[in-house]
Structure formats: C-alpha cells, structure tokens
Amino acid sequence: MLSVVRVHLPSEIPIVGCEITPYVLLRLPNGVISTDDVPEAAPADGHFMRYRWYRIQSDRKVAICSIHPMEQATIQCLGCVKSKIPIAKSYHCSSKCFSDAWQHHRVLHERASSALNENGAEEEELFGRFGSGGSGVLSSAGSASMSNLGQSPGVNNGPVPLYASGTDKNSGETWYEVGHLRTYTPTADDIGHILKFECVTMDAEKKVPVGPPTSIMTSRVIPAPTPTPRRLIQVNGDVLGHLDLDSQTSSFGTFTVLSYNILADAYATSDSYSYCPTWALSWTYRRQNLMREIIGYHADIICLQEVQLNHFEDFFAPELDKHGYQALYKKRTTEVYTGVPHAIDGCATFFRRDKFSHVKKYEVEFNKAAQSLTDAIIPVAQRRVALSRLIKDNVALIVVLEAKFGNHGTDNPGKRQLLCVANTHVNVHQDLKDVKLWEVQTLLKGLEKIAVSADIPMLVCGDFNSIPGSSPHGLLAMGKVDQLHPDLAIDPLGILRPASKLTHQLPLVSAYSSFARMVGVGYDLEHQRRRMDPATNEPLFTNCTRDFTGTVDYIFYTADSLTVESLLELLDEKSLRKDTALPSPEWSSDHIALLSEFRCKPRIRR
C-alpha cells in the first residue's frame, strides 16, 4: 500500500513570499521508494496523497526581531515608528540586541532626519516604494519614545517593551487551514505564526484517510528582510541632491541603466558562503529578494550577469515582462562546462518597451575568437595547449536599441537616437591575466566595428573580474595599456604582443568616477566620497565576501555622446559587515548593483 516513509523541510524557517516544498519520501505499492507525488488524478493501487497546511494562530500577535529573525521581538524602537522607517526594522529581541545593532541602526535615523531636514517632507526613496511597509506587527506599547537620535541608546532614549510583564505567552491556539497543496507560500498574515504541514494516504474510492497523518512543524514565519533603501544622487548640475522617482520617469531625454551580477544559484553554496544562513542562500528566497530589489530601481535598461538559463526562462523573463520589459539572453558556451545543461549561466539584458525598441543583437563567444586566434598565430603542435588556456566559455551580449523618447534639444531632431549596450561577464581565474586582458580587448574591438558603422552612444556593463589599476581596467578607462604594466609579463602564448596594439578609440569613462569629480559640500557628497578610492576614482568595492573586497563591476560610457546625470549611492562596508559579508539575508548577491542615469548629448553637425 502507498505509505509515507519520511517528511522533512528544506528549511525550518519560513519566509513571507518564499515557496516551501517539503521533501516527502513515499513507499509505492510495489515497494519502490520514490519522491514523486501520487495525486488524486493518478492514484497508485487505489490510493493517493492528500496534503494540508495549517497556521497555528494564538490569541496574541508576535513580532519578529529585525536582527535575529528566528527570535521573537520583545522591544521596539519608537524612533523608527515616528521617522516612518519600515516597521520590521524597529523590532529587537533584547536590549543587548538593540545596543549591539545601534551603530548600524542609527544610520536609519540619520538618513530619515537628513531627508526631513533637506526636503521638509519624507524623502521618497528609490527602493522604498516596493514592498517596504507593513512587514511586521505593530505593538500597542506605551507612549515612550527615543530622543537624541545621534547618541547611544540609554535610559531616556532607549527602546520600549512590546509586552507588559506577566503576559501569558501560551494563550489559546487555533488552527487555520491555509493550503491544500504540497507547496505553500507564506503570506503576511502568517508572520509570527507556526505552520504545520500534514500529509496522509487517502482511499481513492471512499475518499477517506488510510492510517494516521504524518506532520511536521516549522518555526515562526518571518517577514522577508527589507534591504536599506539606496537613493539616486544627482551628480550633474549646480545643486547636489536626491533624484525623485517621479521626476526621473518624466525627465525628457534621460534613461537609467542597471548592471548587477546576481550570483547564480549553482555558485551560491554553503561551502562558499558559510556565513550566510542557509535559508537566505536558497534560490526560493534569493529570487524573490533579488526581484524586489531589481524592480525597485525602476531602471530603463537592466544588465544582469550569472543568470542561469532555467532561471531566465522560468522566472526573470516572465516576471520582468509583467513590468514592461523585453528580454534578451546569451548563455555561456559549454566546451569546458561540466554541470547540468539547464543550470548554465549567462548574460541577460532587459529594456523597457515604452522607452526603447530592439534594433539588433550581437553575440560574442570568446571561445570562437580563441579558435580563430590560435589558428592564426599558434603552431599546430601547440594549439591544444593554447586552447586549454584560452577557452573559458565566456560570452558578451551586445544590443542595439532605438530610443522612443526622441532627440530633444539636438540639431538634427529627425534622426533616430540609437544606443549600443554591451553586457559581459569576464569569468577568468586571477592567474590568467593574459586571457582576461585578451577577452576585454576582443570585446572592445568588436564594439569599435559597430562604432565605425554607426554614430552611436555606447555603454559597456558587466563584471570584468578586474580591479582598478589592472590592465583590463586600464584598457577600458584609458584606451591603452602601459607597456610596462606588470600584467603584460604573463603572456606565455604571445597573444598580447606587441603591447602597442592594446588600444582602442572608444572614449570610454567609468560612470561612477563622476562621484570623485563632484564638487561642493553636503551629507550625501561626503558619504559618497568616503566610499570612493581617491587613487583610482572608482568605488572601494562592488564585490564583498569574507575572502575578497574590491571593485570588479563597472558601467562604462562614451563621454562624447552621453553625460552622467545621477548615480545610485554606494553601500558602506561597515553596514554590510554586520552580517559578515555578502550575500546576506538583506542583500542576495555577493555583488552590489550599480545604476546610472544618462542623458544623450546633442549631436554636433559635421
């Protein structure tokens, strides 16, 4: 007879919006052990499996600690409530928890205060519009509040208790059926409550249970952590300020570009990121958190790296289509790839259909370029060794778009406004500096050919796995490589000789270098300067793990045809280190997103 052998959960911590699919091991009537479902529509020997999900709800609502989501909150910072900071961030499980978190928590208060002082009203933040409110349970605590927000928490400015002493924490419980499928996605109504999953063998004819049910309980449902809002900061103009979302979307002739390595699920292992909780590493959690973040930026063009083929087809393309984006994709090649075919990653570019139309797509496969190179310059006897060094399965996706917002202010308003966007991931080991530089040079030579054939602004986005000061970065930013650069000493195949050929004519500039060129004073300007490296005019980091912190992601643009209007603010490393490093429950990739707003320069008649 059909029976249940074992049931367990992929994660004991359920999170709002993250699908839960229990692992159910069945013994089929023929004795075979299987994880395949046996639904009512296809019974086995007259029996099928029935599933139920229940919410165990007590008379008293429970708030969850913002720092330790597995713990019940006991105190609340009313300063957060008054400042209209997302409620979920105001809860703490103990006075020590609040005190330990104060260094990072006070930043929320400072930013809220800064927004009020500068604007006289609550600052509308780029990320705050999307899913940032109501993700916790408000207490009915007394009227005490926090004062002197810049100071350490003390007797007069500390948090208030959520529950009066003597409260019965074990009041009456009620079970509510919330699902009748094997899979369940917790909702905001489940926050603070325990879920129970139950499965039982059913008689297909009589529709009655056969034997007792098997059940398993979860811990309390927690809200999805809300990343700290990141604002767009204006860098072009006389006044430094924050960019309002409404003015951004209506600003004529400007567009925004996002570049983000989202960390493929295949690489997001507990071995690599042991400091990140397993539930926060799961794809069911990360995909929702990433999508919430990406949608919140409202970018006109989105360049993602490390997007698995199956996740592009099943999740990113259909979800972003709902938000008005058209999708293009180029998966990595598979000459050295040994994983599951559908899990191979690649580059995905999305653009808003109401702002751009697709003109042309170019796909760059560096493996093919490597084959052509070895055929041309490597002796036959050495080609196999040469190819084993050069072939890394990397690709680039180049898209030509036509803007729908016209050529306001140009001398030739009737001419089409085209834009070329390159998206790449140069995934090459640090020891193979020659290969990394060669791939960047190959991409730039391809873009030069496009530039010759059309008068077209260009953007080069991606994860180049190259820090500022490296030869690939120098080639991108300076148009050439210093012939005495130490990277050039590693060239066993002779593919970089002569060094004088390592040049290009594209006037590329790193978008984030605009932060280093800003003049003036102000809270935001000073904070962004601290997050830039004055020696390189690049961010201090875009990739932050336990073993590496540095900048490897960039948005380059052609400075003769585009200007930077504003940039997404950079993150502070100290705020990330509270969770050791990236990824974390708050940020679901080991990289940070970069975003720039551009304006097309008026064309000069020739």
Side-chain angles (χ1 to χ4, degrees):
M1 189 184 76
L2 180 66
S3 61
V4 178
V5 177
R6 186 167 45 132
V7 175
H8 74 83
L9 298 168
S11 171
E12 292 183 357
I13 304 172
I15 304 138
V16 170
C18 296
E19 184 180 271
I20 310 172
T21 303
Y23 176 85
V24 180
L25 193 64
L26 301 176
R27 178 175 282 109
L28 303 179
N30 60 6
V32 173
I33 303 297
S34 174
T35 57
D36 293 337
D37 193 13
V38 181
E40 184 176 4
D45 197 25
H47 296 86
F48 66 92
M49 295 303 303
R50 187 192 73 181
Y51 305 106
R52 293 288 186 270
W53 283 93
Y54 299 95
R55 177 171 69 232
I56 302 176
Q57 189 161 322
S58 64
D59 294 339
R60 183 182 54 79
K61 291 185 175 181
V62 176
I64 304 299
C65 176
S66 61
I67 304 300
H68 307 102
M70 289 172 286
E71 301 294 332
Q72 180 178 318
T74 60
I75 56 177
Q76 181 181 30
C77 170
L78 291 190
C80 288
V81 178
K82 289 188 175 183
S83 300
K84 297 185 178 180
I85 292 166
I87 286 297
K89 292 184 180 294
S90 69
Y91 295 125
H92 296 267
C93 56
S94 67
S95 297
K96 183 178 186 304
C97 168
F98 181 76
S99 179
D100 290 346
W102 178 249
Q103 180 182 354
H104 303 294
H105 186 86
R106 65 183 293 179
V107 174
L108 299 175
H109 292 226
E110 289 171 354
R111 291 180 58 168
S113 176
S114 172
L116 285 167
N117 290 338
E118 291 180 15
N119 302 318
E122 184 182 2
E123 174 70 23
E124 182 166 32
E125 294 178 327
L126 192 65
F127 197 69
R129 278 189 168 189
F130 190 89
S132 61
S135 55
V137 182
L138 268 170
S139 76
S140 55
S143 59
S145 64
M146 292 187 65
S147 59
N148 302 321
L149 296 179
Q151 301 176 7
S152 299
V155 174
N156 295 324
N157 59 357
V160 298
L162 276 175
Y163 310 111
S165 59
T167 299
D168 180 11
K169 295 186 178 181
N170 296 308
S171 52
E173 293 182 343
T174 307
W175 288 19
Y176 291 93
E177 184 178 320
V178 293
H180 58 273
L181 302 175
R182 183 168 172 176
T183 295
Y184 178 66
T185 302
T187 68
D189 291 337
D190 298 321
I191 292 174
H193 302 296
I194 293 170
L195 300 176
K196 183 172 84 166
F197 171 72
E198 180 182 279
C199 59
V200 65
T201 303
M202 299 288 291
D203 185 300
E205 183 178 348
K206 298 179 181 179
K207 301 293 191 295
V208 295
V210 179
T214 301
S215 63
I216 190 168
M217 311 275 274
T218 71
S219 59
R220 294 187 186 275
V221 175
I222 66 172
T226 306
T228 304
R230 294 174 66 187
R231 296 167 292 186
L232 270 179
I233 296 178
Q234 186 176 336
V235 297
N236 188 22
D238 296 331
V239 180
L240 175 75
H242 305 149
L243 191 72
D244 183 83
L245 269 177
D246 294 330
S247 66
Q248 174 204 340
T249 53
S250 62
S251 183
F252 197 84
T254 67
F255 62 92
T256 52
V257 178
L258 172 74
S259 184
Y260 197 3
N261 181 328
I262 62 168
L263 179 60
D265 182 45
Y267 308 143
T269 64
S270 293
D271 288 341
S272 298
Y273 306 103
S274 58
Y275 49 84
C276 184
T278 53
W279 60 265
L281 271 182
S282 69
W283 180 242
T284 53
Y285 172 73
R286 291 203 308 119
R287 72 176 187 175
Q288 298 295 341
N289 206 32
L290 287 166
M291 184 59 66
R292 182 165 44 240
E293 180 186 0
I294 291 167
I295 292 300
Y297 292 135
H298 301 279
D300 299 313
I301 300 170
I302 300 171
C303 295
L304 303 182
Q305 302 88 42
E306 288 195 19
V307 180
Q308 289 183 195
L309 175 61
N310 56 332
H311 296 159
F312 173 79
E313 294 176 341
D314 300 339
F315 182 67
F316 285 104
E319 286 299 313
L320 286 169
D321 176 69
K322 297 175 186 176
H323 294 273
Y325 290 92
Q326 184 170 329
L328 297 164
Y329 183 75
K330 175 59 182 174
K331 72 174 182 179
R332 296 178 67 192
T333 45
T334 56
E335 291 188 47
V336 294
Y337 178 76
T338 57
V340 181
H342 68 265
I344 193 168
D345 65 285
C347 297
T349 299
F350 306 84
F351 60 89
R352 292 184 63 90
R353 288 186 290 263
D354 61 344
K355 295 205 75 170
F356 294 96
S357 58
H358 178 222
V359 177
K360 196 166 186 178
K361 178 175 81 168
Y362 301 90
E363 296 182 346
V364 179
E365 295 185 358
F366 294 109
N367 284 5
K368 288 183 178 179
Q371 186 68 59
S372 299
L373 178 68
T374 54
D375 288 346
I377 70 169
I378 304 294
V380 175
Q382 300 173 22
R383 285 178 186 170
R384 178 172 292 184
V385 174
L387 286 172
S388 68
R389 184 177 183 87
L390 290 172
I391 289 181
K392 302 302 171 194
D393 285 339
N394 293 329
V395 297
L397 175 61
I398 303 173
V399 179
V400 177
L401 303 174
E402 180 177 356
K404 294 182 178 180
F405 46 77
N407 295 299
H408 181 67
T410 66
D411 290 335
N412 192 1
K415 192 172 182 180
R416 300 166 73 194
Q417 178 61 68
L418 299 178
L419 178 68
C420 180
V421 183
N423 179 10
T424 191
H425 183 195
V426 182
N427 192 2
V428 177
H429 193 275
Q430 296 301 322
D431 293 340
L432 302 177
K433 298 183 187 301
D434 54 324
V435 180
K436 195 179 298 187
L437 178 56
W438 170 77
E439 286 196 2
V440 172
Q441 169 75 348
T442 300
L443 173 61
L444 290 170
K445 288 301 179 185
L447 291 172
E448 275 190 315
K449 292 178 181 178
I450 297 173
V452 169
S453 64
D455 178 15
I456 182 170
M458 289 195 167
L459 295 165
V460 186
C461 308
D463 175 1
F464 292 86
N465 269 296
S466 300
I467 62 173
S470 64
S471 57
H473 179 267
L475 181 59
L476 284 157
M478 305 301 294
K480 62 182 181 179
V481 178
D482 186 333
Q483 296 189 31
L484 298 178
H485 197 289
D487 284 1
L488 300 184
I490 301 173
D491 186 19
L493 302 178
I495 59 175
L496 305 179
R497 301 175 200 149
S500 59
K501 76 176 183 180
L502 298 172
T503 63
H504 68 86
Q505 301 303 313
L506 301 172
L508 295 177
V509 175
S510 174
Y512 270 78
S513 67
S514 297
F515 270 150
R517 296 192 298 272
M518 286 193 301
V519 294
V521 295
Y523 175 87
D524 289 294
L525 174 56
E526 187 58 34
H527 274 67
Q528 293 312 305
R529 280 178 176 158
R530 291 177 189 169
R531 297 166 191 178
M532 296 290 292
D533 183 348
T536 63
N537 286 347
E538 295 286 5
L540 289 172
F541 70 91
T542 63
N543 181 212
C544 182
T545 67
R546 184 170 53 194
D547 303 320
F548 173 81
T549 300
T551 294
V552 293
D553 307 271
Y554 306 93
I555 299 175
F556 286 95
Y557 67 98
T558 46
D560 63 340
S561 54
L562 296 168
T563 58
V564 177
E565 294 287 305
S566 55
L567 293 166
L568 185 67
E569 67 177 332
L570 296 167
L571 294 176
D572 175 54
E573 184 179 351
K574 286 184 179 179
S575 68
L576 301 181
R577 292 297 181 190
K578 74 179 188 295
D579 293 310
T580 302
L582 299 178
S584 67
E586 189 173 16
W587 304 102
S588 287
S589 174
D590 55 344
H591 295 248
I592 65 170
L594 301 180
L595 183 142
S596 177
E597 182 192 27
F598 293 99
R599 182 183 297 276
C600 294
K601 285 185 176 181
R603 287 192 180 90
I604 300 174
R605 291 190 179 187
R606 297 174 180 175

